[in-house]
Amino acid sequence: MKRYITILVLCFFFCTSCEDVLDVDPKGVLNEEQISTPEDAEKFVIAAYSQLGNDEINRPFSLWQYGDMRADDAYKGGRDPGDGQGFHFMETFTNVRPDMWEIDGLWFHLYIGVRRANEGLRILQNFTEDEYPQLTTRQAELRFIRGHFYFELKRLFNRIPYIDENVPAADYKLISNVELTSQEVWEKIAADFEFAAENLPMVQPQIGRADQIAAYAYLSKSRLYQAYEQNDQYNVINVNQELLQKSIAAADEVLSSNHSLESDFANNFLSGSYENGPESLFAVQFSTSDGTANGRLNFGDMLTVPQGLGCCDFKKPSQNLANAFKTDENGVPYLDSFNAENIDFDTDNVDPRLDHTIAHPGNPWKYETALIFEEGWSRTPEIYGFYNSLKENVQSDQYENVDPFYGNSKSRIILRYAEVMLNKAEALIELGRHDEALPLINELRDRASQSTEKLVNADGSLLANYKVSQYMPGTNISWSQEYARKAVRYERRIELALEGERFFDLVRWGVAEPVLNSYLSVEQSRKDFLQGASFVAGKHEYLPIPQNQIFWSEDRYVQNPNY
């Protein structure tokens, strides 16, 4: 039987109080002076893990409102623009303000994760290896968790205060968010993952704990982000070759491990026995039927259930994203012209990843051939269209009703083997070694071509004209560095679509402004709610520093430019 890391019961004993400051002592918890045994210390480690799943609909740690909705991959959805109005402001880049409670809440709860990791690390300093044989492993796990929360904070807010275990909670407000340069913060984040990679076991006895391979995967990703050096206006002024090499070295540790791609793309996004499969490198674990009222469900993604199955029809895939899955007669994507015409699901050639990612009327819901997704499942199709997001959702009998919402207990993958392949391919291309990147991209395309077994109607016929081919230089493409760069960025979009990555990729590459304003100029003719939307370079790449946090720091925090 698989052993899962238990995080459920800690909500009462170890949760940090939901106040708007970070120096408020948790209520109903043990304080550090009361910890005298490894068993007590272990609970603080579990408390840090617990925070990975302590999100909810207005601050989902999947970051779909920040990585998908702010990009060209999804519309907000819901009843109308006033339903979750703050997120409407974010997707249109209008009226985004430092005093928005949504942004403050996300900042605060990500820093709860940082604080829990720091508290655990500080407590572990009181033990020796003889007293606590797993001491170094637990320190490495906590540094992995801290690195994760800082990684998310960095790509959301850019200017963030870096606080480690040596800073008492009462002194958190004394640390400015500009004490370190951007590169210095990235180096701190990478150092946590390096320590984790050096000190974690290759395999953990409990599912849900970070292991060495997960640490190398995150190290590869953080080094890749760090390699794109930005100036104060967020322009990419250099792609650091040494950091690209470090990203590749970390990726190689993952790609030579016992992990691999799933044989079928669909398996990554199914529940039950499919969870924590060979492609999942690190995932947040959820549960149900565990003795509590609703279980430890994925509350962060509850809004994305279509209205025909529950509530509330948010995170609606964009027409632009649907169009991106079209392929030509040779099975390769239209890298530059994919959005010239809207996809025709009946006649166009498409990449199979389309129907693993986007639900549209007439297709079975989540491979249930007896349950057809209908137009009436969309709440306000006249505003947001008829598409729904599939990956985070589950089959119809696997939802838990927590009225008015519907949740599920499927694990949420944070790091996939496929993404590490893309990280390495991207770094190789930026180093001018695009020929070495080609097999990695082609392996993903080959897997996509073989992922059609579940994409069938009740009579066994395929849902669409699936055609996706490997890139074959001299036959169906010309493989230059310029083409390879376009290809890997395109591949990343369709492979990781609606997994919360797209906006951050555009910012990292320094192309957010031209890509998003081009997207908005077309989408405004399709969607009235996007009228007036415009991305401002040098501002909208990052969220504003929450005004509540600036007040709390007694003005030590410096606001991001142009807010």
Side-chain angles (χ1 to χ4, degrees), residues 44 71 125 152 189-190 197 203 213 277 301 309 387 391 402 431 528:
F44 273 81
Q125 292 174 352
E152 301 292 48
I189 294 169
V203 178
I213 301 307
D301 291 322
L309 291 176
Y387 304 152
K391 288 181 176 178
V402 284
L431 288 168
D528 287 343

Side-chain angles (χ1 to χ4, degrees), residues 108 258 334 348 449:
F108 177 68
N258 61 351
Y334 298 93
D348 282 334
S449 72

Side-chain angles (χ1 to χ4, degrees), residues 70 89-90 92-96 234 503 507 512 516 534-543 561-563:
R70 283 198 299 165
F89 292 155
M90 286 186 229
T92 56
F93 306 102
T94 58
N95 203 26
V96 178
Y234 310 141
F503 180 82
V507 171
L516 293 180
S534 180
F535 182 95
V536 176
K539 176 180 182 179
H540 290 136
E541 288 87 347
Y542 298 98
L543 297 172
N562 298 312
Y563 285 106

Side-chain angles (χ1 to χ4, degrees), residues 288-300:
T288 187
S289 301
D290 49 22
T292 62
N294 296 316
R296 175 74 170 183
L297 302 178
N298 177 357
F299 281 82

Side-chain angles (χ1 to χ4, degrees), residues 26 37 57 66 70 80 105 120 196 216 263 303 332 339 347 352 365 478 555:
T37 68
I57 59 174
Y66 302 92
R70 283 198 299 165
D80 54 38
Y216 274 121
S263 59
L303 289 180
V332 298
N339 202 37
T347 61
W365 171 257
S478 178
D555 290 328

Side-chain angles (χ1 to χ4, degrees), residues 429-454:
I429 290 166
E430 293 304 321
L431 288 168
R433 296 160 56 186
H434 41 284
D435 287 344
E436 296 175 61
L438 182 59
L440 292 164
I441 299 171
N442 276 341
E443 187 175 350
L444 290 171
R445 297 188 62 75
D446 187 57
R447 193 266 294 269
S449 72
Q450 299 177 49
S451 298
T452 60
E453 182 179 354
K454 297 178 175 68

Side-chain angles (χ1 to χ4, degrees), residues 232-249:
D232 292 340
Q233 290 77 47
Y234 310 141
N235 297 312
V236 175
I237 56 174
N238 182 49
V239 182
N240 188 299
Q241 307 288 287
E242 180 181 354
L243 292 172
L244 293 175
Q245 295 282 8
K246 289 183 176 181
S247 177
I248 291 170

Side-chain angles (χ1 to χ4, degrees), residues 368-398:
E368 296 182 69
T369 55
L371 182 62
I372 303 302
F373 185 87
E374 300 176 0
E375 289 187 356
W377 287 24
S378 291
R379 189 174 176 185
T380 48
E382 68 279 8
I383 302 176
Y384 295 112
F386 293 103
Y387 304 152
N388 274 89
S389 175
L390 278 169
K391 288 181 176 178
E392 74 282 6
N393 275 299
V394 293
Q395 292 179 305
S396 59
D397 62 352
Q398 294 168 10

